[in-house]
Amino acid sequence: MDPALFLADIEARPDRLREAAAVWAGGNPWAGLRARRLVFLGMGSSYFAASVAADRLQHRGVAATAVLASSDLLPVVDADDHVIAISASGSSVETLAAVEHFHGRCPITVMTNVGTGTLLDLADTVVAMHAGAESGGVSCRSFTHTQALLLLLEDHLVGGVDTSVFGRAADAAADLLDTRDTWLAPVSDLLLGPEGTSVVAPVSRLSNARQSALMFREGPRRPAIACETGDWSHIDVYLTKTTDYRMLLLTGSRWEAQLMDWCTQRSATVVAAGADVPGANFTLRYRHDSEDLVRLLAEITVAEVVAGVEWGRTQG
């Protein structure tokens, strides 16, 4: 793992996403998939993305569930179901074990960023992420491409997803990268507190809160947690009374007002990304940030850049 290469991987996100979108425009990689129920498998970032995808599909009437591949409570499946196993590296031992468990019971698709391996050998079909090699050793672009591919799956199954959003998301990520000199220092000062960082997002983008918190832990090894915006008032609010509480708020939830009321009362520090939030200590806006799917595919860049620069500073 290398912080300089990690930042280079992030900087390549806009171009890689545009390139992948051009490939996908030539044909939806999910063409032909039909199932009574979808079961997503993954660990870490893959599970984060799968959980939101399953929620989105359930919201639209599709039977779908996301399961940690390490679970000892794997669901029962039959031939009418379809397992979608996600592993950017193609080598997650827990995902391999779960796929071995399901092998022969129902069709299995593996989503991966590599071309060979035992996991792929067990698949009926393989969907490539087209994220390119991540030289920094951290799954970053592959996380974004996983979310994009799961949107394509949703569009294949029920329609209604504007896949031109991939281009606008690439523009948004490029804008965040191009303007980082204007926001990186103040955002880092506000978020990197002595007692860690909290990242909060609505259910529809909870994957990004989890991934953002992971970036703080995985790179600079800083304490960080993730929470859903509405649930925050039931499980995380307590920390604002006793700690130097620092929050990255990924905006868009109807429950933000009650969250901000607590944060204001208790002088918690809040950086809002993607929209103007009354009471926030800093607001970070970027191109196309009024679109929820742009936020889904681009806002992770904020935490990645902050974490990557801090990682390089502490390692140096």
Coordinates of all heavy atoms in Angstrom, one line a residue, residues 20 23-24 29-30 40-42 46 83-93 95-96 99 108-134 139 141-147 149-150:
A20 N -14.9 3.2 -19.0 CA -15.8 2.1 -18.7 C -17.2 2.3 -19.2 O -17.9 1.4 -19.8 CB -15.8 1.8 -17.2
V23 N -17.5 1.5 -22.8 CA -17.6 0.0 -23.0 C -19.1 -0.4 -22.7 O -19.6 -1.2 -23.5 CB -16.6 -0.7 -22.0 CG1 -16.9 -2.2 -22.1 CG2 -15.2 -0.4 -22.4
W24 N -19.6 0.0 -21.5 CA -21.0 -0.4 -21.2 C -22.0 0.1 -22.1 O -23.0 -0.6 -22.3 CB -21.3 0.0 -19.7 CG -20.3 -0.5 -18.7 CD1 -19.7 -1.7 -18.7 CD2 -19.9 0.1 -17.5 NE1 -18.9 -1.9 -17.6 CE2 -19.0 -0.8 -16.9 CE3 -20.2 1.4 -16.9 CZ2 -18.4 -0.5 -15.6 CZ3 -19.6 1.7 -15.7 CH2 -18.7 0.8 -15.1
P29 N -23.8 -5.2 -19.6 CA -23.2 -6.5 -19.3 C -24.1 -7.5 -18.5 O -23.8 -8.7 -18.4 CB -22.0 -6.1 -18.4 CG -22.4 -4.8 -17.8 CD -23.2 -4.1 -18.9
W30 N -25.3 -7.0 -18.1 CA -26.2 -7.9 -17.4 C -27.3 -8.4 -18.4 O -28.3 -9.1 -17.9 CB -26.9 -7.1 -16.3 CG -26.0 -6.5 -15.3 CD1 -25.6 -5.2 -15.2 CD2 -25.3 -7.2 -14.3 NE1 -24.7 -5.1 -14.2 CE2 -24.5 -6.3 -13.6 CE3 -25.3 -8.5 -13.8 CZ2 -23.7 -6.6 -12.5 CZ3 -24.5 -8.9 -12.7 CH2 -23.7 -7.9 -12.1
F40 N -26.7 -10.9 -3.3 CA -25.4 -10.3 -3.4 C -24.5 -10.8 -2.3 O -24.9 -10.8 -1.2 CB -25.5 -8.8 -3.4 CG -26.3 -8.1 -4.5 CD1 -27.6 -7.7 -4.3 CD2 -25.7 -8.0 -5.8 CE1 -28.3 -7.1 -5.3 CE2 -26.5 -7.4 -6.8 CZ -27.7 -7.0 -6.6
L41 N -23.3 -11.1 -2.7 CA -22.2 -11.5 -1.7 C -21.1 -10.5 -1.8 O -20.7 -10.1 -2.9 CB -21.8 -12.9 -2.0 CG -22.7 -14.1 -1.9 CD1 -22.1 -15.3 -2.4 CD2 -23.2 -14.2 -0.5
G42 N -20.4 -10.2 -0.7 CA -19.2 -9.5 -0.7 C -18.7 -9.2 0.6 O -19.3 -9.5 1.6
S46 N -17.1 -4.1 -1.2 CA -18.1 -4.8 -2.1 C -19.4 -5.0 -1.4 O -20.5 -4.8 -2.0 CB -17.5 -6.2 -2.5 OG -16.3 -6.1 -3.2
V83 N -27.1 -15.7 -7.6 CA -26.1 -15.2 -6.7 C -25.2 -14.3 -7.5 O -24.7 -14.6 -8.6 CB -25.3 -16.3 -6.0 CG1 -24.0 -15.7 -5.4 CG2 -26.2 -17.0 -5.0
I84 N -24.9 -13.1 -7.0 CA -23.9 -12.1 -7.6 C -22.9 -11.9 -6.6 O -23.1 -11.2 -5.5 CB -24.6 -10.8 -8.0 CG1 -25.7 -11.1 -9.1 CG2 -23.6 -9.8 -8.5 CD1 -26.5 -9.9 -9.5
A85 N -21.7 -12.4 -6.8 CA -20.6 -12.3 -5.9 C -19.6 -11.2 -6.4 O -19.3 -11.2 -7.5 CB -19.8 -13.7 -5.8
I86 N -19.3 -10.3 -5.5 CA -18.5 -9.2 -5.8 C -17.1 -9.2 -5.1 O -17.1 -9.3 -3.9 CB -19.2 -7.9 -5.4 CG1 -20.6 -7.8 -6.0 CG2 -18.4 -6.6 -5.9 CD1 -21.5 -6.7 -5.5
S87 N -16.1 -9.2 -5.9 CA -14.7 -9.2 -5.3 C -13.8 -8.5 -6.3 O -13.5 -9.1 -7.4 CB -14.2 -10.6 -5.0 OG -12.9 -10.6 -4.6
A88 N -13.4 -7.3 -6.0 CA -12.5 -6.5 -6.9 C -11.2 -7.3 -7.2 O -10.8 -7.4 -8.4 CB -12.2 -5.2 -6.4
S89 N -10.7 -7.9 -6.2 CA -9.4 -8.6 -6.3 C -9.6 -10.0 -6.9 O -8.6 -10.6 -7.3 CB -8.7 -8.7 -4.9 OG -9.4 -9.5 -4.1
G90 N -10.8 -10.5 -6.8 CA -11.0 -11.9 -7.2 C -10.4 -12.9 -6.3 O -10.4 -14.1 -6.6
S91 N -10.0 -12.5 -5.1 CA -9.3 -13.4 -4.2 C -9.8 -13.3 -2.7 O -9.1 -13.9 -1.8 CB -7.8 -13.1 -4.2 OG -7.5 -11.7 -3.8
S92 N -10.9 -12.7 -2.5 CA -11.5 -12.7 -1.1 C -11.8 -14.1 -0.7 O -12.7 -14.7 -1.3 CB -12.7 -11.8 -1.1 OG -12.4 -10.5 -1.4
V93 N -11.1 -14.6 0.3 CA -11.3 -16.0 0.7 C -12.7 -16.2 1.2 O -13.3 -17.3 1.0 CB -10.3 -16.4 1.8 CG1 -8.9 -16.4 1.2 CG2 -10.3 -15.5 3.0
T95 N -15.5 -14.7 0.2 CA -16.4 -14.7 -1.0 C -16.2 -16.0 -1.7 O -17.2 -16.6 -2.2 CB -16.1 -13.5 -1.9 OG1 -16.2 -12.3 -1.1 CG2 -17.1 -13.4 -3.0
L96 N -15.0 -16.5 -1.8 CA -14.8 -17.8 -2.5 C -15.5 -18.9 -1.7 O -16.1 -19.7 -2.3 CB -13.3 -18.1 -2.5 CG -12.9 -19.4 -3.1 CD1 -13.4 -19.6 -4.5 CD2 -11.3 -19.6 -3.1
V99 N -19.2 -18.7 -2.4 CA -19.5 -19.1 -3.8 C -19.4 -20.6 -3.9 O -20.2 -21.3 -4.6 CB -18.6 -18.4 -4.8 CG1 -18.6 -19.1 -6.2 CG2 -18.9 -16.9 -4.9
I108 N -24.5 -18.3 -10.8 CA -23.6 -17.4 -10.1 C -22.9 -16.5 -11.1 O -22.4 -17.0 -12.1 CB -22.6 -18.2 -9.3 CG1 -23.3 -19.1 -8.2 CG2 -21.5 -17.3 -8.7 CD1 -22.3 -20.0 -7.5
T109 N -23.0 -15.2 -10.8 CA -22.2 -14.2 -11.6 C -21.2 -13.6 -10.6 O -21.5 -13.3 -9.5 CB -23.1 -13.1 -12.1 OG1 -24.0 -13.6 -13.1 CG2 -22.3 -12.0 -12.7
V110 N -20.0 -13.5 -11.1 CA -18.9 -12.9 -10.3 C -18.6 -11.5 -11.0 O -18.3 -11.4 -12.2 CB -17.6 -13.8 -10.3 CG1 -16.5 -13.0 -9.7 CG2 -17.9 -15.0 -9.5
M111 N -18.6 -10.5 -10.2 CA -18.1 -9.1 -10.5 C -16.7 -9.0 -10.0 O -16.5 -9.1 -8.8 CB -19.0 -8.0 -9.9 CG -20.4 -7.9 -10.5 SD -21.3 -6.6 -9.7 CE -20.3 -5.2 -9.9
T112 N -15.8 -8.6 -10.9 CA -14.4 -8.5 -10.5 C -13.6 -7.6 -11.4 O -14.1 -7.2 -12.4 CB -13.7 -9.9 -10.5 OG1 -12.4 -9.9 -9.9 CG2 -13.7 -10.5 -11.9
N113 N -12.5 -7.2 -10.9 CA -11.6 -6.3 -11.6 C -10.4 -7.0 -12.2 O -9.5 -6.4 -12.7 CB -11.1 -5.1 -10.7 CG -10.7 -3.9 -11.5 OD1 -11.2 -3.6 -12.5 ND2 -9.7 -3.2 -11.0
V114 N -10.3 -8.4 -12.0 CA -9.2 -9.2 -12.5 C -9.7 -10.2 -13.5 O -10.9 -10.3 -13.7 CB -8.5 -9.9 -11.4 CG1 -8.0 -8.9 -10.3 CG2 -9.4 -10.9 -10.7
G115 N -8.8 -10.8 -14.2 CA -9.2 -11.7 -15.3 C -9.2 -13.2 -15.1 O -9.8 -13.9 -15.8
T116 N -8.5 -13.6 -14.0 CA -8.4 -15.0 -13.8 C -8.5 -15.3 -12.3 O -8.4 -14.4 -11.4 CB -7.0 -15.6 -14.3 OG1 -6.0 -14.9 -13.6 CG2 -6.9 -15.4 -15.8
G117 N -8.7 -16.6 -11.9 CA -8.7 -17.0 -10.5 C -9.8 -18.0 -10.2 O -10.7 -18.3 -11.0
T118 N -9.6 -18.7 -9.1 CA -10.5 -19.7 -8.7 C -12.0 -19.2 -8.6 O -12.9 -19.9 -9.0 CB -10.1 -20.3 -7.3 OG1 -8.8 -20.7 -7.4 CG2 -11.0 -21.5 -7.0
L119 N -12.2 -18.0 -8.1 CA -13.5 -17.5 -8.0 C -14.2 -17.4 -9.4 O -15.4 -17.8 -9.5 CB -13.5 -16.1 -7.3 CG -14.8 -15.4 -7.0 CD1 -15.6 -16.3 -6.0 CD2 -14.5 -14.1 -6.4
L120 N -13.5 -17.0 -10.4 CA -14.0 -16.9 -11.7 C -14.3 -18.2 -12.3 O -15.2 -18.4 -13.1 CB -13.1 -16.1 -12.6 CG -13.2 -14.5 -12.5 CD1 -12.7 -14.0 -11.2 CD2 -12.4 -13.9 -13.7
D121 N -13.5 -19.2 -11.9 CA -13.7 -20.6 -12.4 C -15.0 -21.2 -12.0 O -15.6 -22.1 -12.7 CB -12.5 -21.5 -12.0 CG -11.2 -21.1 -12.6 OD1 -11.2 -20.4 -13.6 OD2 -10.2 -21.5 -12.0
L122 N -15.5 -20.7 -10.8 CA -16.8 -21.2 -10.3 C -18.0 -20.4 -10.8 O -19.1 -20.8 -10.6 CB -16.8 -21.1 -8.8 CG -15.7 -22.0 -8.1 CD1 -15.7 -21.7 -6.6 CD2 -16.0 -23.5 -8.3
A123 N -17.8 -19.4 -11.6 CA -18.9 -18.5 -12.1 C -19.5 -19.1 -13.3 O -18.8 -19.6 -14.2 CB -18.3 -17.1 -12.3
D124 N -20.8 -18.9 -13.4 CA -21.5 -19.1 -14.7 C -21.3 -18.0 -15.7 O -21.1 -18.2 -16.9 CB -23.0 -19.3 -14.5 CG -23.2 -20.5 -13.6 OD1 -23.1 -21.7 -14.1 OD2 -23.6 -20.3 -12.4
T125 N -21.2 -16.7 -15.1 CA -20.9 -15.6 -15.9 C -20.0 -14.6 -15.1 O -20.0 -14.7 -13.9 CB -22.2 -14.8 -16.3 OG1 -22.9 -14.5 -15.1 CG2 -23.0 -15.6 -17.3
V126 N -19.2 -13.8 -15.8 CA -18.3 -12.9 -15.2 C -18.6 -11.5 -15.7 O -18.8 -11.3 -17.0 CB -16.8 -13.2 -15.5 CG1 -15.9 -12.2 -14.9 CG2 -16.5 -14.6 -14.9
V127 N -18.7 -10.5 -14.8 CA -18.9 -9.1 -15.2 C -17.7 -8.3 -14.8 O -17.3 -8.3 -13.6 CB -20.2 -8.5 -14.6 CG1 -20.2 -7.0 -14.8 CG2 -21.4 -9.2 -15.1
A128 N -17.0 -7.7 -15.8 CA -15.7 -7.0 -15.5 C -16.0 -5.6 -15.1 O -16.9 -4.9 -15.6 CB -14.9 -7.0 -16.8
M129 N -15.2 -5.1 -14.1 CA -15.4 -3.8 -13.5 C -14.8 -2.7 -14.4 O -15.2 -1.5 -14.4 CB -14.8 -3.7 -12.1 CG -15.6 -4.5 -11.1 SD -14.8 -4.4 -9.5 CE -15.8 -5.5 -8.5
H130 N -13.7 -3.1 -15.2 CA -13.0 -2.1 -16.0 C -12.5 -0.9 -15.3 O -12.5 0.2 -15.8 CB -13.9 -1.6 -17.2 CG -14.3 -2.7 -18.1 ND1 -13.4 -3.4 -18.9 CD2 -15.6 -3.3 -18.4 CE1 -14.1 -4.3 -19.6 NE2 -15.4 -4.3 -19.3
A131 N -12.1 -1.1 -14.0 CA -11.5 0.0 -13.2 C -10.0 0.2 -13.4 O -9.5 1.2 -12.9 CB -11.9 -0.2 -11.7
G132 N -9.4 -0.8 -14.0 CA -7.9 -0.7 -14.1 C -7.2 -1.1 -12.9 O -7.8 -1.2 -11.8
A133 N -5.9 -1.3 -13.0 CA -5.1 -1.7 -11.8 C -5.0 -0.6 -10.8 O -4.8 0.6 -11.2 CB -3.7 -2.0 -12.3
E134 N -5.2 -0.9 -9.5 CA -5.2 0.1 -8.4 C -3.8 -0.1 -7.8 O -3.7 -0.9 -6.8 CB -6.4 -0.2 -7.5 CG -7.7 0.2 -8.2 CD -8.9 -0.2 -7.4 OE1 -9.0 -1.4 -6.9 OE2 -9.8 0.6 -7.3
S139 N -8.8 -0.5 -2.7 CA -10.0 -0.5 -3.6 C -10.6 0.8 -3.6 O -11.3 1.2 -2.6 CB -11.0 -1.6 -3.2 OG -10.4 -2.9 -3.4
R141 N -11.2 3.1 -7.2 CA -12.0 3.1 -8.4 C -12.9 1.9 -8.6 O -14.0 2.0 -9.1 CB -11.1 3.2 -9.6 CG -10.3 4.5 -9.7 CD -9.7 4.7 -11.1 NE -9.0 3.5 -11.6 CZ -7.7 3.3 -11.4 NH1 -6.9 4.2 -10.8 NH2 -7.2 2.2 -11.9
S142 N -12.4 0.7 -8.1 CA -13.3 -0.5 -8.2 C -14.6 -0.3 -7.4 O -15.6 -0.9 -7.8 CB -12.5 -1.7 -7.8 OG -12.0 -1.6 -6.5
F143 N -14.5 0.4 -6.3 CA -15.7 0.6 -5.6 C -16.7 1.5 -6.4 O -17.9 1.1 -6.5 CB -15.4 1.4 -4.3 CG -16.6 1.8 -3.5 CD1 -17.4 0.9 -2.8 CD2 -16.9 3.2 -3.4 CE1 -18.5 1.4 -2.0 CE2 -18.0 3.6 -2.7 CZ -18.8 2.7 -2.0
T144 N -16.2 2.5 -7.0 CA -17.1 3.3 -7.9 C -17.7 2.5 -9.0 O -18.9 2.6 -9.3 CB -16.3 4.5 -8.4 OG1 -15.8 5.3 -7.3 CG2 -17.2 5.4 -9.3
H145 N -16.8 1.7 -9.7 CA -17.3 0.9 -10.8 C -18.3 -0.1 -10.4 O -19.2 -0.5 -11.1 CB -16.1 0.4 -11.6 CG -15.3 1.4 -12.3 ND1 -14.9 1.2 -13.6 CD2 -14.9 2.6 -12.0 CE1 -14.3 2.2 -14.1 NE2 -14.2 3.1 -13.1
T146 N -18.1 -0.7 -9.2 CA -19.1 -1.6 -8.7 C -20.4 -0.9 -8.5 O -21.5 -1.5 -8.9 CB -18.6 -2.1 -7.3 OG1 -17.4 -2.9 -7.4 CG2 -19.7 -3.0 -6.7
Q147 N -20.5 0.3 -8.0 CA -21.7 1.0 -7.8 C -22.4 1.3 -9.2 O -23.6 1.2 -9.4 CB -21.5 2.2 -7.0 CG -21.1 1.9 -5.6 CD -21.3 3.1 -4.6 OE1 -22.1 3.0 -3.7 NE2 -20.6 4.2 -4.8
L149 N -21.9 -0.4 -12.0 CA -22.4 -1.7 -12.6 C -23.7 -2.1 -11.9 O -24.6 -2.6 -12.6 CB -21.4 -2.8 -12.5 CG -20.3 -2.7 -13.5 CD1 -19.1 -3.6 -13.1 CD2 -20.8 -3.2 -14.9
L150 N -23.9 -1.9 -10.7 CA -25.1 -2.2 -10.0 C -26.3 -1.3 -10.4 O -27.4 -1.7 -10.4 CB -24.9 -2.2 -8.5 CG -23.9 -3.3 -8.0 CD1 -23.7 -3.2 -6.5 CD2 -24.5 -4.7 -8.3

